[in-house]
Amino acid sequence: MIHTLSLRWSNAYLLTGIGKPVLVDTGSPGEIGRIRTCCRRVGVNPNELALILQTHVHSDHFGNTAELARTASCPVICHAADQPFAEQGSNGRLRGVGAAGTLLSPLFSRGRFPAYHGTQAATDGMRLDEFGIAASVLHTPGHTPGSISIVLDSGDAIVGDLLMGGFAGGLLWSRKPGYHYFADDLPQAMRSLDQVLQLSFGRLFVGHGGPLQHADVAKWRSRQASFRN
């Protein structure tokens, strides 16, 4: 089951099944208290996480990973291509998408967060069954080189910042699909989205706003003529 943890600037997600819970992303620095409160509201002890799984490594999604991993004594998994960001505790340079992204890029580039050494590498196709979660990890680069999505056997998918729901970070019209403000490689992100759409048929849970309906995303994607294969 997917539980949405609505944080100040982003979403994190708890996956619960027959084993201990898996936390997907950890919000921005300073939100650890809110994450713990959200966990307890759905009956999860944040000190008993089985795994922290990162859709990507940016300050608004990796901000509390080091502390949560320490208190839960659990592994942290992200794709190898994003591991350098985790070890440096830095967003690196962000490439803006459109006018809004270009304007915001200087403000968020080089954003800092507590570094974490010792992440384990997510591999394309790895299963989460050992944690009691019927889902697979899919490498979906584009927003960052190491962005991943989690495709559940139920048909739903958690896609991080592959796209965004609504505007103003998801505060307005949160169910409307759209580009994220930043993308390391936007055409690659759209190819990754195509792959997610092929493998899923339910809701798409995004890092900001959402969740998005599969049909709405597919319709939106069909209109992005500049990025068709």
Side-chain angles (χ1 to χ4, degrees), residues 116-158:
Y116 183 84
H117 298 268
T119 57
Q120 299 178 22
T123 56
D124 195 48
M126 71 178 289
R127 295 284 303 177
L128 301 179
D129 299 283
E130 64 178 288
F131 304 104
I133 309 296
S136 298
V137 171
L138 181 68
H139 184 208
T140 50
H143 179 66
T144 66
S147 290
I148 62 172
S149 297
I150 300 95
V151 181
L152 283 77
D153 292 358
S154 66
D156 292 334
I158 300 173

Side-chain angles (χ1 to χ4, degrees), residues 190-213:
M190 293 299 97
R191 291 192 293 270
S192 292
L193 178 58
D194 291 339
Q195 192 174 9
V196 170
L197 290 172
Q198 290 173 3
L199 295 174
S200 66
F201 52 85
R203 297 165 295 176
L204 273 63
F205 291 84
V206 289
H208 305 270
L212 307 176
Q213 296 299 319

Side-chain angles (χ1 to χ4, degrees), residues 14 31 33 40 44 89 169 173 195 214:
L14 271 173
E31 293 190 294
R40 294 188 180 103
V44 168
W173 300 291
Q195 192 174 9
H214 189 280

Side-chain angles (χ1 to χ4, degrees), residues 83-92 110-117:
Q83 285 178 328
F85 301 120
E87 295 173 356
Q88 295 163 13
S90 172
N91 287 343
R110 313 297 177 185
R112 304 295 302 181
F113 52 90
Y116 183 84
H117 298 268

